[in-house]
Amino acid sequence: MAEAVLRLQPAVTRKSRLFGTFGVLVAGLALAGCQTMIPKGKPAPKPVTEQPDGPVGPGLPEDQLRHRVALLVPMTGSNAGVGESIANAANLAVLDTGGKQIRMTTYDTALGAAAAAQKAIADGNKVILGPLLAEDVRAVAPIARKANVPIISFSNDASVSGGGTWLLGYSPAQSIERVVGFARTKGAASFAGLAPNGVYGQRASSAMIRAVEAAGGRMVGMQNYDRSQKSMQAAVTRLAQTSSYDALLIADSGGVAVQLAPMVRKGGGANAHLLGTELWNTEGAIANSPVLRGAWFASVSDGLYTQLSTKYRARYGKAPYRLSSLGYDAVLLVTRVARDWKVGTAFPGRVLGDAGGFAGIDGAFRFDKDGIAQRALEVQQVDAGRFTVVSPAPKTFGD
């Protein structure tokens, strides 16, 4: 999102106090226990799937002191790596916050998202963190809604939000809006885009058209491709036949952008400034590719995530997936809400709509009226071997 839309508010207001308190918690963790190391020669501990608290019999767990929270992620199958990272980071957050307010249990959505949700609700969980995939959210939402159990999902698919489903995932539309707005402040007036065929590409294309219009720029062309070399080259060629452009958005992964950039430079965009989306932040290796040198993309801040990643490696003996921070932040969010949430009662989902917002590993965020996390994004530049922040993320939201 553009900086003008965020409207920074330096003064502390009633609505911003929740954000401030939550931010203090994040800074205080920062991250608590980062010095913990795994002794050499010993394997990293396995991810914890439940916080124990005495015997649990059939029906509702015998836990009268903590809130039951379900974590629904894929722990087996093709997405197991991402799911495990989210679960591990979520458990780190439980440990960092003392584990006195929530009791979290992990359910494997790879075995069936609907069945996982039914089991989680039968076990007495009052809020669901996850699922990760949009199709799993669609399967879980009706079950959770019937039981009055809110969902805080890790998906970024806006079509599954609302009706008790809140999305923590990184929105490509917000990323595009932010980087386009930044490019406009640097003099770009005419914009073009390249996007893959499919749902993501369609939504990215629509988001860019809206962003360029909102920023007062001019959209001169948008082409789609199917990720084959022939199709990508054809899209670049068609784009060159329309009009010249100051900035070009490649709405795809960093790996695909590395393939497209040389074609663009030779095919009509020799001097265009390349722009990317939030996907680039998950691929640090693209900083080693000279073809993207100087390109801009908007994403959540990596400041606190770097600390989380270090702590994660120390505890689990391997690097986390970038999405792991969503698990950590989801636990921080629920722990914050738990301060004013009576054990055994329904989760007070209305609190999530607080306009003052929240803070976490990924920076400031708040949920809009549709239940989608609006994030304070920074703009990063691809430099030699690293990403450099060229426009910091705003610290707070306006009313």
Side-chain angles (χ1 to χ4, degrees):
M1 61 189 72
E3 290 174 307
V5 176
L6 289 174
R7 300 198 310 278
L8 294 185
Q9 178 181 310
V12 176
T13 66
R14 181 189 65 80
K15 288 184 177 181
S16 67
R17 277 196 288 269
L18 181 56
F19 163 85
T21 304
F22 194 66
V24 170
L25 175 59
V26 175
L29 293 173
L31 294 157
C34 281
Q35 72 277 14
T36 304
M37 300 297 291
I38 301 298
K40 292 184 178 179
K42 293 186 178 182
K46 295 180 179 180
V48 179
T49 58
E50 183 166 326
Q51 304 299 317
D53 189 50
V56 178
L60 295 178
E62 297 175 4
D63 192 336
Q64 305 300 317
L65 301 177
R66 292 180 293 177
H67 298 284
R68 290 286 311 198
V69 176
L71 177 67
L72 270 62
V73 289
M75 297 298 287
T76 56
S78 59
N79 292 307
V82 180
E84 182 184 59
S85 274
I86 292 174
N88 286 341
N91 277 289
L92 283 177
V94 172
L95 295 173
D96 285 346
T97 55
K100 295 180 179 180
Q101 293 178 299
I102 70 171
R103 172 177 179 156
M104 188 178 70
T105 307
T106 301
Y107 300 82
D108 186 1
T109 54
L111 302 178
Q118 290 169 341
K119 180 66 167 63
I121 292 170
D123 285 348
N125 293 282
K126 300 299 184 182
V127 62
I128 291 174
L129 308 183
L132 172 64
L133 305 177
E135 55 263 37
D136 287 345
V137 178
R138 292 189 180 94
V140 168
I143 299 170
R145 190 177 302 119
K146 184 177 180 180
N148 193 31
V149 174
I151 297 171
I152 302 176
S153 172
F154 306 127
S155 171
N156 65 356
D157 188 337
S159 69
V160 299
S161 67
T165 297
W166 309 76
L167 303 187
L168 265 183
Y170 313 130
S171 166
Q174 293 174 34
S175 173
I176 291 169
E177 180 182 356
R178 177 74 164 96
V179 76
V180 166
F182 177 76
R184 276 292 288 138
T185 67
K186 296 301 180 181
S190 55
F191 293 79
L194 291 169
N197 291 319
V199 175
Y200 183 91
Q202 293 170 358
R203 291 177 179 168
S205 299
S206 298
M208 185 178 188
I209 293 172
R210 292 194 301 269
V212 170
E213 180 180 359
R218 183 167 57 96
M219 194 74 194
V220 298
M222 173 66 72
Q223 294 294 331
N224 300 94
Y225 53 86
D226 62 15
R227 290 199 177 96
S228 69
Q229 288 286 327
K230 183 178 180 180
S231 180
M232 290 191 290
Q233 184 61 68
V236 171
T237 300
R238 291 193 302 271
L239 197 60
Q241 295 171 347
T242 57
S243 178
S244 60
Y245 44 87
D246 300 326
L248 172 71
L249 174 76
I250 300 178
D252 211 326
S253 68
V256 172
V258 169
Q259 299 177 60
L260 279 167
M263 301 179 191
V264 171
R265 293 307 186 204
K266 295 178 181 179
N271 299 314
H273 210 107
L274 299 181
L275 311 177
T277 72
E278 82 293 343
L279 295 177
W280 290 19
N281 197 36
T282 65
E283 302 176 69
I286 65 175
N288 297 321
S289 178
V291 296
L292 292 182
R293 199 66 45 79
W296 297 322
F297 66 93
S299 179
V300 294
S301 173
D302 282 333
L304 287 174
Y305 174 75
T306 300
Q307 298 178 46
L308 173 62
S309 179
T310 298
K311 182 175 184 180
Y312 187 105
R313 287 189 182 91
R315 184 169 183 83
Y316 297 107
K318 57 184 175 182
Y321 281 77
R322 182 61 181 83
L323 293 179
S324 63
S325 58
L326 294 177
Y328 195 100
D329 282 355
V331 169
L332 288 188
L333 177 59
V334 172
T335 300
R336 173 60 188 89
V337 174
R339 296 179 184 180
D340 305 309
W341 173 22
K342 184 179 179 181
V343 174
T345 63
F347 182 83
R350 63 185 183 281
V351 177
L352 299 181
D354 188 285
F358 308 90
I361 295 298
D362 287 328
F365 69 94
R366 65 179 177 184
F367 293 102
D368 64 16
K369 60 182 178 60
D370 297 316
I372 300 171
Q374 295 180 320
R375 296 185 176 276
L377 305 179
E378 66 184 21
V379 177
Q380 300 183 42
Q381 179 172 288
V382 180
D383 287 331
R386 63 194 180 97
F387 298 150
T388 302
V389 177
V390 291
S391 180
K395 300 299 183 183
T396 60
F397 294 101
D399 290 336

